[in-house]
Structures are given as C-alpha cells and as structure tokens.
Amino acid sequence: MTTTGKQIFTTLASDGTLTVEVGEVEFSDPVGSQVLVRMEAAPINPSDLALLFGPADLATASYTPGIVVAKMPEPFAKAAVGRHGQRLPVGNEGAGTVIAAGEAPAAQALVGQRVSCVPGNAFSQYAIADAMMCLPLGDISARDGASAFVNPMTSLGFVENAKMEGQKAIVHSAAASNLGQMLLRICEEDGIALVNIVRKAEQADLLRDLGAKHVVNSSDPDFMAQLRAAIAETDAFFGFDPIGGGRMVDSIFTAMEQVAGSRMTDYSRYGSNQPKKMYIYGRLDRGETILSPAYGFGWTLSGWLLTSFLQQAGMETMVRMRQRVLDGLTTTFASHYKREVNFEQMLEKDAVLDYAAMKTGEKYLVTPWA
Amino acid sequence: MTTTGKQIFTTLASDGTLTVEVGEVEFSDPVGSQVLVRMEAAPINPSDLALLFGPADLATASYTPGIVVAKMPEPFAKAAVGRHGQRLPVGNEGAGTVIAAGEAPAAQALVGQRVSCVPGNAFSQYAIADAMMCLPLGDISARDGASAFVNPMTSLGFVENAKMEGQKAIVHSAAASNLGQMLLRICEEDGIALVNIVRKAEQADLLRDLGAKHVVNSSDPDFMAQLRAAIAETDAFFGFDPIGGGRMVDSIFTAMEQVAGSRMTDYSRYGSNQPKKMYIYGRLDRGETILSPAYGFGWTLSGWLLTSFLQQAGMETMVRMRQRVLDGLTTTFASHYKREVNFEQMLEKDAVLDYAAMKTGEKYLVTPWA
C-alpha cells in the first residue's frame, strides 16, 4: 500500500538552472522502526534555504503557480556539482501526526501521536521518519513543536561546545534571532556570560527586555568600543556567528585582540597569546568573509555544523540535550513565526523574497494542508 | 664591566609615527646560563619585518643615514597600542661567537665557540642569549648558521604538526621560499606528500629540479584544475599558507571541497564531511584574507605561530627537532641570501623596499661588523 501526497522539490541542472516546484510523491508503508508522519507544520530555516534556493538569483527568477525557475551563479553552481540533475526533497524538521508505523515496538508506540521529527523532506504532506529521532509532543501543537530540533539543538550545542572547550562566555551575532533568544535563555540558566551583537536599536531593546546584560549594536558609531567593553567584562574570547559574509567575525576578533592587548605588560610582535576562537554556523550574508591582519596569529575560525557537533559530542550528550529541549519547548526553546504558508504560497514571489531575506524574527512556517 | 655596541631599534609613537634607527647599547656581563655573543650574521625574516616596519608606508617614509621615519596606518597603529613609545630591539635569530659567559658550566663550555642563537635582538653587534637555546656550529660559518632556528624549526614544525593531526599530506603555498625548499626536503625524508603552490614558472621549475612531485602554478589559467588534481592524488586536506592576505586559502579550501564533493555519492546541502584545515603562518600579503562561501562548514582556518606550536609540542619534541636541524644545517636546512647589508645599508631606501617586498628567494642577511 502507498500514500500519495504533495512535496516540495529543488533541482539544479548542470547549466546552473534551479527549479523549485511542488510535486506528487508516493510514500511506501513504514517498516521496522520507521513511522509515517502526516506533516502539519515545518519551519523554513536558513539551512533549508541553502538547499532550496542557495545563492540563486531570486529577484530575476520566473514565478508561476507552484514552480520557481532561477539561475544559480558560478562558482556555486559548479561547487554543487554533486546535486546536478538530482530532484531533492527539502525541509530539515517539522511536526505532524504518526498515521502508520513499522513493526518495531518503538514505532508502534507512536501511532496516533503528534511528534516532532527530522525527516529531511519536511516540506511535504507526508514523511517517513525514524522513531528514535521522533519527539512525542503530547499536548504541544504542531506549530509549537515544528522547530524542536534545529534551533534548540543548535543553541544548546553552542553552550555544550563552549563548556567542552572550557569557556565561560560566548559572543553571538545576529543575536535577536529566534536562535539568539534561545541562547540567551540557556546561557542565563547555565551561568554562561553572553555578549549579544545586534544591528538595530529595536533588537537591542528586545534582548534587554528579555534580560540580556551585554547587548552591543553594530550600527552604533561606538560599536567597537561597546564590543571591547562587553568582552573585557565577560572574558568572551569565543563565539558563534551566523552571518558568515562580511566583517562581523573580523570585528569580533579585532575587539578581542584589543582587549587582550590592553592587558599585556610587554609588547609582543605576534600579538597577544590569548587564544581567540569563532565559529561560523550560518550564511545570512552569502558574501565573502573578510579577515584583516589586525589580530596576530592566535585565532581560529571554523565552520560549525550541528550534525558534526552531535557526532563529536556522542549519543549520551545528545539524549540529554533532547530531553532538555522537550522539557522547555514552550518556554526556553519556544519559536515564533511571521507568517504561515501552504506550498503554493511558499513559491510566490513576495513570499520567497521575504523569507529568503532571513530577517531577524521573520521566520515562515509551512503548513502543507492549509 | 660593560660592552658597548650598535643595535637596530624600532619605535612606534602613539600618533602612528614609526622610527627605525641604529642606536648604541651597553651590554652587561652575562650571568648564570647567559652568554654574550658577538653577532656576525642575522637574517631578515618576515617575522622580523612585522616588528621592524609592520604595515608602515615605506614608499613615502623619510630616509636619512641610520634612520627611517614612516607612518603606520590605522587600525594597525591602534592595534599595536602595547608598543606605543617603546624602543624595541629586533631580530629573532642569528649567529656569532661567544665572547663571555655566566658561571654556569653550560655557558662556560661555549666560550670561544661559534653558535646560532635566538636572542630577540639579533640585529645588534652583541647579544645576550641563553646557553640552552644556543646551537654550537663547529665548522659551520656564521652565514650558514644564521638561520638555524626560524625556518628550520617552522618547516619541521609543519611536518610534526601534520603527523600530530594524523595527516599524510600537506598543501603549501609560496612553496619556492627558503622555508618551502626545506619543507620539500623534510617531506621527502619523512614520506609526507607535498602539494607545492608557486606563482611563477621559474619557481615551479626550481622545485621540480629539487625533486618536487606535485607543483601547481597559481598564475596558470588552469590553476584550480592543477590544484584539484594534486589534492586528489595526495589526499591533502591540510596545509600551511604564509601569504595570509588575498584568496590563496580560499582557493585551496575550494579545491579541497571540489575534490571531496566529486567523491560523494549522495549530495549534502552542507557540503562534504571531509574536514579541511589550513594554517596561516605569515603575512606576505598584509591585505585582507577573503573566504568565499563555496565549501560548506567542514573547514578550520587558524593562525600558526612557532612558539605556540613548540609549547604545545613539549620539550622532548623540541630537543629532537633541534638535533635534526643541527645535523642538516648545510643540507636539508640550508638557507640562501640575496644580499648582505650592515646596519646603515639595511636602513637605505633601496634596501628597505627590496627586502620588505619579501620576494621568494630574495632574503637579506645583516652583517653588523661589515
């Protein structure tokens, strides 16, 4: 027996033409520990956008009902040679109701329950998920449970990672985001100092209203002085940046080095020996990352990926993290959405340009049955 | 009793004015394990230039006999606040003859001997050095022994570091340098594959004549294809870059990811899970480092500093490395110089502009008594 439903697909042709469309799919019956989930809500996260549209030119794309055709610029089209011609499903996470299950008891136990899951094709009316990775939501709505994985586990992962590296303070940019607000709450719970960098006064106010102690506005003329003061106060020489492109990481390293330098009694030609470490975990700005030579050689910049971190952290840590997320899904780990769209609305020009801009606090939720 | 001699000093005023001059200094008698070395030869290494002139504007500087006055641009002048007003000696390493020693037997044993040393003020007629860090040169000339520390220990450090991280291959840029040639010989001795990146056909020929198997010319139109082929053949996802500024590291990461991507059977939105690591160990190009978003999140870029590496590696490794350098000082670890200059010649405009350009194979040697 099979179940048929609609699903979003993205296809990159070898000539750089990107097609995103609503298609029909047949889902086989779940086997073993699999469950079949009728998906009710899925967030459009930046990581989904990277696959859905990547750096394709959305302003000049052609929009017809249920289908978007855009051009992917070089060298991105070439770098993505691995996906050329493949019709790929999209959507890391979402929530829905289990309507069928494989024979494994863990799967059978979920039948009829609402769960959050990480199927990889969450922009779909149905999805096959592994029971082990499903989180039973109980009374929590699909809307509230749709984002139970990416942002909660990422923000919690930052704090776990900081602790693993012996850090007691974190610098975070684009800090007013859903993820940034979660991080603020986790850091408060765990006694980790947090330097929040935002780019608008409203965002600074928002975070201060939520209890943030160190908020720095990159649009202020004295941004660097604010940042130095916050780093000096917190000893934050470690941080996470979701912007990626531009000069944010450079500004942070520069401020860290200035703080460390001001504490040195002897001058060293190589800069301070204060290690400085930043992770880039997103690409809100898909432009180039610019690093100036203003902070010696005592720095490390690395990409950060949730799945790689979880592998490194191990199963025990991951189970502990998931439990903490479940316990705080409507409090510490709550998400907010600007708009709900069905598949057709999701592929309309105004919607695409709006959510692809990845503005702080303007996340979309996909509701495939609306 | 004191010994008086000439020495090079560099001073950065708080207004950004940089003064480099020949001064007179008195040296006290050595005590304990110290020795007093009559310095005969010292190389001008890129790391010395970083302190000597930094990013000061040398084209518009004022040159009078024995003194150079230049302007240091912001933000470098500000970042170097720790050296404002300090009259700093320069010169990491050099060679000379021990003319006096402290009472320690290790120091006394060196009296009358030619040694290489790491005094930090090697651009001086005399220097106080620690006997433990002196390498007795025997029949080797001061010229041949002048560069026994920085380049040999750095190139050897790369191979030690690669082994520590489980790597069997290294990518190296500006590979025709003195250091690059040493690295080539060490890698050959130790069975480590080496991808040499140069920017001129003559440099490629030079390295091939020295036995290099993988040489890639960044000036060739098919540079990226050459680089991909060399990485694919050697499995080099790890490397060292002395250029720092510009797009070299970006090109290397991009080529590494393209090789890794071409080996994947399934497309991943996050790029390959092949870890890619590059170290920047110099700033031949003091411009900004540009990183594009073409290689996912599985990469790490870090500054590399010899002293930090040696600390991390520990005393036993360092002693083993020093012995290997001494054994190969006229073979594996031999250095070559374009020109010898005394202190006055060292501060003449044509000389300054020439050695500050840090061109491959054009290193200067300072001979303070000539």
Side-chain angles (χ1 to χ4, degrees), chain A residues 47 51 83 88 92 247 267 269-270 280-281 283 286 288-291 293 297 299-303 305, chain B residues 47 51 82-83 88 92 247 267 269-270 280 283 286 288-291 293 297 299-303:
Chain A
S47 53
L51 177 63
R83 62 175 286 195
L88 299 168
N92 271 306
R247 296 179 177 275
Y267 177 72
R269 67 196 73 186
Y270 304 112
I280 290 180
Y281 71 93
R283 279 277 169 189
R286 294 202 192 86
E288 291 162 333
T289 309
I290 312 290
L291 303 175
F297 294 91
W299 56 272
T300 296
L301 176 61
S302 195
L305 200 57
Chain B
S47 52
L51 178 63
R83 63 174 287 196
L88 298 169
N92 271 308
R247 296 180 178 274
Y267 176 73
R269 67 195 78 187
Y270 303 111
I280 290 180
R283 276 280 169 188
R286 292 201 193 84
E288 292 162 331
T289 310
I290 312 289
L291 302 176
F297 294 91
W299 56 272
T300 296
L301 176 61
S302 195

Side-chain angles (χ1 to χ4, degrees), chain A residues 28-150:
Chain A
S28 311
D29 279 347
V31 295
S33 64
Q34 291 178 337
V35 294
L36 180 64
V37 184
R38 183 182 184 277
M39 298 298 292
E40 286 148 21
I44 306 179
N45 288 315
S47 53
D48 299 316
L49 281 166
L51 177 63
L52 194 61
F53 294 116
D57 188 345
L58 298 172
T60 65
S62 111
Y63 294 84
T64 45
I67 182 160
V68 180
V69 179
K71 202 74 194 169
M72 179 88 83
E74 289 284 352
F76 304 104
K78 186 170 187 177
V81 62
R83 62 175 286 195
H84 286 176
Q86 293 188 53
R87 199 159 168 255
L88 299 168
V90 202
N92 271 306
E93 64 180 344
T97 302
V98 174
I99 55 168
E103 63 281 11
Q108 284 295 327
L110 293 175
V111 174
Q113 292 207 48
R114 188 177 298 125
V115 297
S116 84
C117 55
V118 199
N121 67 328
F123 301 156
S124 178
Q125 290 185 317
Y126 298 96
I128 293 284
D130 192 287
M132 295 303 152
M133 293 292 284
C134 287
L135 210 56
L137 291 171
D139 287 343
I140 299 168
S141 70
R143 182 185 166 102
D144 284 340
S147 295
F149 190 77
V150 177

